[in-house]
Amino acid sequence: MTDIPTMTLPTLPAHPDPETDRVLDSGLLHELSYAFGGPFHFLLPHRFDANLAAFRTALHDAGVEGRVYFAKKANKAAVWMERCAAQQAGVDVASVGELREALGHGVRGKNVVVTGPAKSDELLRLAVLQGCLIAIDALDELDLLITLALTGAVRPARLLLRRLPPAQPHSRFGMNDAEIETALDRCVRAGDAVRMEGFSFHLSGYATQPRADLAGELLDLCLKARVLGLQADRISIGGGFAVDYSAADHWHSFLAEQKPEHYHAKKAFRTGDFYPYHSPVAGADALRTILDTIPEGGQHTLAARLKDTGTLLMMEPGRALLAGAGSTVFCIQGVKERDGYRIVTVDGTSLSLSEQWFNSEYLPEPQLVTPSGPVNGGDAGAVHPACVGGASCLESDMVTWRKVPFPARPRVGDLLVYPNTAGYQMDSNESPFHDLPLPPKVVMDRLGDRPRWRLDRRPAC
Ligand SMILES: Cc1ncc(COP(=O)(O)O)c(C=O)c1O
């Protein structure tokens, strides 16, 4: 088997992360892999706390009253709900299960916003009873909520009206101009059965200017609704705060160089289908930028307009609150030689690295960890290219299609640690296909030479 010189394969290393390196150096991951007998994820909750604090600091620095709601869909672990409850942060839920999880871990109903389309009766009823704020997506949903509030024991039903983004007219979410007009009229008629607290949106993509523009439009809508006698004192700008996974030069040269020959079976990916793994403005800095932007057609920054109009700013970051907050660990179960590269098969499936199921690939490179520790530099000038397959009978079950230029030859029993996977990668598509157990999640409560760990959820008795 020939080794390929380094220069011929593009690489995309993740940003260095000394804390994750300490976990890798500790030897704990091989112990856990042995104990679980399959893949697992580890979580770093202090990173979540730091990301939340950074969002709150951005609001404070801009002098804007605001609230951060963690978009729960980004990761199912219980520990995030525990952190939200402890820090009095909000949670964005979109199902009865998510709402139960939030409430069950101590998040108060008044700190929950309920999003998602065509919410079920059960979800709406529970949300009203718990005093949650409900983002109404359509007129029929509003009618259902008003009926529930008029006939139920608890009122008012707290609601936002979700705006269909004019710049994304093909979105299936939210209401257009005419529907918003009708919705306002119905809220006025519903009297004290409902409390119309404002408007919301969620935009695809990560650009900041469109978010400031639409937020500006929502402020105008609030002023209009207030004239009608409605409360309308808050807006939610949804999620979509980018995460910066890798350095600019690595990302740009990766995009320029990558081609089908660099992937197993010459798999072709369109560069536009990749997540933007480098973002010059990410996380709480994106919020700072949005607040500092003058919405289209205006004269004042969004921050100034929020203050002038006495409007509270809500946001629902998912991925950005989980930046750097966890990694995914697979163990190599088999190694097969191919022409010029190897196919490594791990002990889990690509259903535990969700990006693969969106015509795309999770690109930040896995770290090879042998029983004696992480391999960083290899034999000078030589690399050991390998793609990574899942332990299933599906051709399409590739954890990594790309031939990753590993610095040493991957061997059975080595670990592959995929970095920064807490946001959407770990569990949004997980499945016990082939009766494989779902990978457990391990919470690292303390780092150091001997990290202190526990299971995210205690096993049932
Ligand atoms: C309504 C809503 N809010 C928030 C989010 C979270 O987005 P992100 O994780 O990109 O911040 C989503 C994601 O789909 C969403 O649909």
Side-chain angles (χ1 to χ4, degrees):
M1 150 117 204
T2 47
D3 288 323
I4 298 180
T6 319
M7 295 314 291
T8 60
L9 284 173
T11 68
L12 191 67
H15 280 304
D17 179 3
E19 289 191 332
T20 296
D21 288 347
R22 285 168 79 183
V23 177
L24 267 51
D25 289 339
S26 71
L28 174 65
L29 299 184
H30 268 91
E31 287 294 318
L32 293 175
S33 173
Y34 178 77
F36 296 139
F40 62 97
H41 310 285
F42 68 84
L43 311 176
L44 305 176
H46 67 284
R47 285 279 172 76
F48 180 90
D49 293 351
N51 294 329
L52 175 62
F55 270 87
R56 287 175 161 172
T57 304
L59 288 166
H60 179 265
D61 290 350
V64 165
E65 196 192 346
R67 285 201 195 134
V68 185
Y69 294 76
F70 169 56
K72 192 181 178 323
K73 67 205 87 182
N75 191 298
K76 294 180 194 148
V79 72
W80 317 125
M81 294 301 94
E82 294 162 13
R83 301 316 304 151
C84 288
Q87 315 244 15
Q88 294 285 301
V91 178
D92 157 19
V93 303
S95 70
V96 170
E98 287 186 350
L99 178 52
R100 281 198 194 121
E101 273 284 300
L103 296 172
H105 285 93
V107 177
R108 300 170 76 180
K110 66 174 187 173
N111 291 334
V112 172
V113 61
V114 186
T115 61
K119 295 174 240 343
S120 67
D121 288 23
E122 189 190 2
L123 177 57
L124 290 175
R125 193 170 290 115
L126 196 54
V128 174
L129 285 169
Q130 296 297 328
C132 308
L133 183 57
I134 302 161
I136 293 291
D137 187 66
L139 287 173
D140 58 352
E141 191 180 73
L142 177 62
D143 292 342
L144 180 56
L145 184 69
I146 291 173
T147 308
L148 282 175
L150 286 170
T151 54
V154 180
R155 58 168 73 176
R158 300 175 56 216
L159 67 92
L160 301 173
L161 298 178
R162 180 165 172 172
R163 179 79 175 100
L164 168 71
Q168 294 178 357
H170 301 300
S171 168
R172 69 186 177 97
F173 301 108
M175 291 177 274
N176 63 23
D177 282 333
E179 289 164 332
I180 289 278
E181 196 81 25
T182 307
L184 286 173
D185 185 50
R186 290 185 192 173
C187 288
V188 172
R189 285 166 195 266
D192 66 4
V194 300
R195 198 159 83 205
M196 204 297 273
E197 299 192 8
F199 297 89
S200 70
F201 67 79
H202 171 73
L203 285 177
S204 301
Y206 299 93
T208 50
Q209 180 75 47
R211 289 181 162 77
D213 291 345
L214 193 46
E217 190 198 310
L218 261 50
L219 288 177
D220 295 337
L221 281 173
C222 281
L223 298 180
K224 188 171 158 189
R226 288 179 205 173
V227 173
L228 299 173
L230 301 168
Q231 176 177 319
D233 62 0
R234 63 203 60 203
I235 60 170
S236 174
I237 59 172
F241 301 87
V243 169
D244 188 35
Y245 292 84
S246 61
D249 49 349
H250 284 135
W251 176 234
H252 296 306
S253 43
F254 179 87
L255 286 183
E257 288 166 22
Q258 69 96 31
K259 53 184 181 206
E261 287 69 29
H262 297 147
Y263 296 82
H264 170 61
K266 294 199 170 59
K267 174 99 173 156
F269 287 103
R270 290 188 313 183
T271 52
D273 287 340
F274 290 137
Y275 181 85
Y277 287 100
H278 170 71
S279 269
V281 181
D285 288 336
L287 173 60
R288 284 178 192 275
T289 305
I290 293 168
L291 287 169
D292 228 18
T293 299
I294 300 178
E296 192 187 4
Q299 291 179 333
H300 304 287
T301 63
L302 180 62
R305 288 213 59 208
L306 286 161
K307 286 183 271 188
D308 288 351
T309 55
T311 309
L312 180 140
L313 181 70
M314 301 168 52
M315 66 221 67
E316 301 148 12
R319 193 186 286 262
L321 289 183
L322 297 172
S327 299
T328 297
V329 184
F330 293 99
C331 185
I332 296 177
Q333 232 165 232
V335 181
K336 187 183 259 184
E337 307 283 334
R338 274 292 152 94
D339 193 17
Y341 67 104
R342 294 184 174 93
I343 300 174
V344 155
T345 301
V346 292
D347 56 353
T349 73
S350 55
L351 293 158
S352 301
L353 201 72
S354 301
E355 200 67 25
Q356 310 302 344
W357 294 90
F358 296 97
N359 295 325
S360 191
E361 167 114 329
Y362 187 70
L363 292 174
E365 248 142 54
Q367 166 81 50
L368 182 67
V369 186
T370 71
S372 44
V375 187
N376 289 312
D379 342 331
V383 292
H384 303 262
C387 60
V388 183
S392 80
C393 56
L394 301 175
E395 283 284 9
S396 55
D397 178 20
M398 294 297 292
V399 185
T400 299
W401 289 88
R402 186 159 63 93
K403 299 167 192 170
V404 175
F406 287 106
R409 181 178 165 178
R411 295 174 195 276
V412 171
D414 290 349
L415 303 180
L416 292 181
V417 181
Y418 283 81
N420 209 354
T421 52
Y424 292 107
Q425 298 307 318
M426 290 182 177
D427 56 21
S428 46
N429 285 58
E430 70 183 356
S431 137
F433 185 52
H434 278 316
D435 289 343
L436 289 169
L438 297 183
K441 296 195 180 85
V442 166
V443 178
M444 301 284 176
D445 278 327
R446 194 186 63 209
L447 300 179
D449 295 342
R450 289 184 57 205
R452 192 88 201 263
W453 68 274
R454 65 183 166 92
L455 285 173
D456 177 61
R457 289 174 199 275
R458 292 192 179 86
C461 320

